Amino acid sequence: MAKREMRKSLKWDIDNLFKSPETAEAEFQQAIKRRKLDDSTSSTPPRVRSDPRDALKPKLLLHLTRLGDGHRLDCENLANLIHYCIFGSKSIQKPRWATISQHRYLLQTLVVRVNVEDNFFATTNLKFLNEFFDRHWLELGADISDRRLFWNSLMNVRLDLKEQIKRKTDRMQKTFDLLGKFDRSHFVLTTEQMAERNFPFPGEEGIVATKMRYKKITHSSPLYSVDCEMCETTHANRELTRISLIDEKQNTILDTFVKPRGDITDYVTRYSGITAKMMEGVTTTLEDVQRAIQNLLPPDAILVGHSLEHDLSAMKMTHPFCLDVCHSLNYTNNVFENRNSLKSLTEMFLGEQIQTEYGHCSYEDAWAALRLAQLKIQEGIVFGVASYGWKYSQYREEQKLKNGDGEILKSTQNSTVAPIPCTGCLGPTVVGCTVVNCRCRFVAGPAQCVSCCVRNLVSEEGDFDWRETLEVDLEMERVTSPIENYVKKDKMKSVLMGFEAPEVLEKMPEMGRKIHLKLPSSFPTYSSFIDNVASEMLNDSAIFIEIDRKKVEPLPRSSPEDDEGEVVDNSEALNEILEKLVAATTKNAAIMMIFSSPSKNTLFKNIK
Ligand SMILES: [Zn+2]
Ligand SMILES: [Zn+2]
């Protein structure tokens, strides 16, 4: 039901977004009329509306204390906020001090910069400003007064962490050096490789680090292998429903079902091995699992897995030392395009079967990844990678000579181990596995259940903060990319520039359907410029406009008998311009108005 409503609302928004200029113009005129009508009937009490879309209205929250005491948003901050409004947190680095809920319903961002004189607010009262923004205003940093800096900041988007890392391969060497370069670390993914593969990184929204502080890895840093099972839920496409973590001795350290936030809509049992019956009465949450893992892992743990970025994304966790067997082993030539499945790697290199018709158990997947990682460390960098010149046929021959048959590294356990109850609460410590003769029954289980791990264990911390080592690198240079690159990536995005761009921009963007320009100076009057922008802006996701208060023509005077010598007041006209622009935006548009004078800058912000 909720889903259907959401879809309906989205369709409504999209229909609105793609209205032709003619219908947009008609809509705009109607909006103006409605607005006037509202004003004239303001004495009647407001109607109570139960529009379901109101619940989906985006909200913009600023947590300015996170910027530090007395800190004001400067040009870079403000641009970051505006880009967050336009592109959302998926494509850009979201500011830590701002949150937009229901961002996907925020379809348009209108930014109006009004250049005013220093005593503007002391002498001018804009009715519309007070009404529309209520008290949603804040003072900005002094550098906003520099309009060149302002527009150049807006037209260049700060690269997100992953993007910056990708572009700075050589510089990442410094971080890599800090992380250590001994035996096992050769097999650990570099930060750059992790960025390329879209691993979660510290500081990303909703991502929790496995440690506050890590320790440099050494030849004796322990391996821990992890595998997650996911189900489809109403909350997310893939949500964590089971996780197995095992140590180097193949013993289970943690094995639990996890109650997803949303209701499960598809158990994808064929892949997850999870059924509705298994999930009955499960109360362990993702947060419990995260805390247990923080307590269980040592600060120099090397996390092992197959396509680990999927597991870490499901766990909503980040970890700096990752050994991914699908990166370390690839017997087909195409290392980066084509991953070998865990099942085929296990058959190929271990001569063992997993994920058989008997069912699927996450312990077995974690076990297989661990064995593959151990084999790789034992055999070296070139081993198992066809693109490095390694040949399977040759390897197979060598193995036959060594062992007399084709069996490689068979597992050794042969008696089942009865599960021992939790030493803390006597509850179960592992998941009741349903796979016939599953390997998980032949190994020792954890001493404590998840909640006892959270309650009784204390996280062992190392000596450096991973995030800091990444950020030190980032501060070296402010890396940005022209906004056009971001706009081109998303077919829903386009920018309308309504300011003297050639005069202020260091580099003009390439004009076209995605970015277009309306020069205020090319219109006979300011009001014709505003009318033109307002009639066409419905099609654009971002509208950047600059208005010089001095140049705004006053409204035609109604009382011609006024004193001849008096300075003509244009505040009514300015008021009307701002009102017109806001009226022309779509529903749920983010409206940012920046009043900039040489010594004072003020931001008015609201969601329409
Ligand atoms: Zn317990
Ligand atoms: Zn099992």
Side-chain angles (χ1 to χ4, degrees), residues 242 255 360-364 431 433-435 438-441:
R242 182 181 170 187
D255 186 7
H360 192 137
C361 169
S362 51
Y363 171 86
E364 284 209 317
V431 160
C433 184
T434 54
V435 178
C438 184
R439 287 184 182 85
C440 72
R441 300 169 194 220

Side-chain angles (χ1 to χ4, degrees), residues 328-339:
S328 307
L329 298 169
N330 195 310
Y331 55 82
T332 42
N333 253 320
N334 217 342
V335 184
F336 295 106
E337 312 274 306
N338 246 328
R339 298 177 178 197

Side-chain angles (χ1 to χ4, degrees), residues 422 424-425 449 452:
C422 172
C425 67
C449 70
C452 288

Side-chain angles (χ1 to χ4, degrees), residues 511-563:
M511 294 299 153
R513 203 173 48 82
K514 302 293 265 174
I515 299 209
H516 48 126
L517 174 67
K518 288 186 186 295
L519 276 181
S521 57
S522 69
F523 288 85
T525 61
Y526 243 94
S527 65
S528 59
F529 162 64
I530 296 299
D531 284 346
N532 185 280
V533 167
S535 67
E536 288 184 29
M537 67 158 73
L538 259 186
N539 299 312
D540 292 302
S541 45
I543 302 106
F544 298 160
I545 293 170
E546 184 171 23
I547 294 167
D548 261 325
R549 198 252 163 124
K550 294 193 296 291
K551 295 185 189 157
V552 173
E553 305 89 8
L555 295 179
R557 310 192 98 197
S558 50
S559 44
E561 69 273 13
D562 275 2
D563 291 345

Side-chain angles (χ1 to χ4, degrees), residues 65-77:
T65 46
R66 290 189 195 167
L67 276 169
D69 264 353
H71 190 100
R72 289 175 179 168
L73 298 187
D74 60 14
C75 249
E76 197 184 331
N77 298 144

